[in-house]
Amino acid sequence: ANCDRSVSRSCWARSGDFVYFTAPANGGHPLFRVRLDATADPELLSSINAGIRNFDIGENHAAVVLTHPGNPYEIHRLGLAAKESHALTAHNSEWLRGKTLSLPQRRFFETSDGLKIEYWLVKPARTAAGRKYPLLLAVHGGPHGMWGPGDASMWHEFQFFAARGYGIVFCNPRGSGGYGYEFQRASFQNWGPGPAADVLTAVDRACDEPWVDKERLVISGGSYGGYLAAWIVSHDKRFKAPIPQRGIYDLTT
């Protein structure tokens, strides 16, 4: 009752004392559990900086499919008491050997109407002192989607662009999931101006970085992200290349 998130993958503990589930939260998809007789908040069992994509519960441990910024998918053994995890598989290790990854840096700002907006900055995989690099603003869909270090959907795409010398900034603007009902409803009848202001503020903050070339900005988004990318480039001229993909531009058709 006290979980203001979208619950999924719920299952019983073998003892029948708990219900386990995952839910989007602040850029991650952690594992939670709640006692049947509890009135307190659900117990967080894994990090918001990682994502549990699937799981199976034992008596003291869980087997989980886990994603984090350093590896898109592996199976881990998660201790339910100590909440520590250990990798059981290494399916991606050979593929990742010799590749330079760029890990997202979490940032946030507050809007003039009191919303706390989280965003992440991914530097180019290789940078040289004194050089400037193009910046890609990536906009998620939904509008109730959520991106973050615990979401695997853009893992490969972000690393692809970072490896080719782009910085990436991505943001969970108002309307995103993972931050509660009121935050998610904040884009109701406000698909353009509010979310656009949020993602553009993230761009402004990213442009304070000394390695960002403010004259080479790109915007990309799909579905609702395509809608917002198209909306932004019709109102703002800072982007040299817009890539609105498969946008939901006209809900009637």
Side-chain angles (χ1 to χ4, degrees):
N2 295 330
C3 183
D4 190 13
R5 298 292 186 271
S6 298
V7 170
S8 60
R9 298 185 181 90
S10 55
C11 76
W12 292 96
R14 293 180 183 180
S15 64
D17 295 335
F18 293 95
V19 171
Y20 289 83
F21 60 90
T22 59
N26 299 81
H29 293 267
L31 180 65
F32 296 87
R33 69 179 174 187
V34 62
R35 285 188 181 273
L36 300 192
D37 60 350
T39 57
D41 294 339
E43 181 183 1
L44 180 68
L45 298 175
S46 63
S47 171
I48 62 171
N49 293 314
I52 306 298
R53 311 309 302 178
N54 210 336
F55 64 91
D56 189 40
I57 301 295
E59 291 188 10
N60 300 308
H61 296 85
V64 301
V65 180
L66 186 141
T67 182
H68 64 83
N71 195 313
Y73 289 108
E74 295 293 356
I75 298 175
H76 284 238
R77 182 175 185 262
L78 174 66
L80 299 177
K83 303 174 185 176
E84 84 292 348
S85 67
H86 303 282
L88 299 178
T89 62
H91 297 298
N92 293 307
S93 297
E94 187 61 33
W95 179 72
L96 287 169
R97 200 184 314 276
K99 290 182 169 61
T100 302
L101 301 181
S102 185
L103 305 183
Q105 304 168 4
R106 184 190 300 264
R107 310 283 176 82
F108 72 91
F109 60 87
E110 289 193 10
T111 66
S112 59
D113 50 351
L115 294 175
K116 182 177 179 179
I117 306 295
E118 285 192 307
Y119 70 101
W120 287 263
L121 192 59
V122 181
K123 294 180 66 173
R126 297 175 181 86
T127 58
R131 284 195 59 186
K132 292 184 178 293
Y133 299 86
L135 181 72
L136 167 67
L137 167 63
V139 186
H140 72 60
H144 305 316
M146 181 201 73
W147 280 347
D151 182 81
S153 66
M154 295 293 285
W155 193 99
H156 185 270
E157 187 166 329
F158 287 165
Q159 295 301 331
F160 175 91
F161 280 106
R164 281 152 181 78
Y166 285 83
I168 303 103
V169 59
F170 61 96
C171 171
N172 286 327
R174 68 192 70 199
S176 301
Y179 299 88
Y181 175 80
E182 293 300 330
F183 189 93
Q184 186 166 314
R185 189 172 169 79
S187 66
F188 178 66
Q189 297 185 341
N190 182 14
W191 269 29
D198 297 340
V199 299
L200 291 176
T201 298
V203 172
D204 290 338
R205 299 293 181 93
C207 284
D208 291 337
E209 297 289 326
W211 53 266
V212 172
D213 187 344
K214 301 176 184 178
E215 300 302 316
R216 289 192 291 166
L217 302 180
V218 186
I219 181 172
S220 175
S223 191
Y224 168 76
Y227 170 94
L228 194 62
W231 194 96
I232 286 174
V233 298
S234 70
H235 292 78
D236 190 290
K237 305 305 179 186
R238 76 184 72 184
F239 295 99
K240 298 299 183 185
I243 314 168
Q245 309 164 38
R246 63 194 183 279
I248 45 176
Y249 308 120
D250 184 350
L251 294 181
T252 302
T253 59

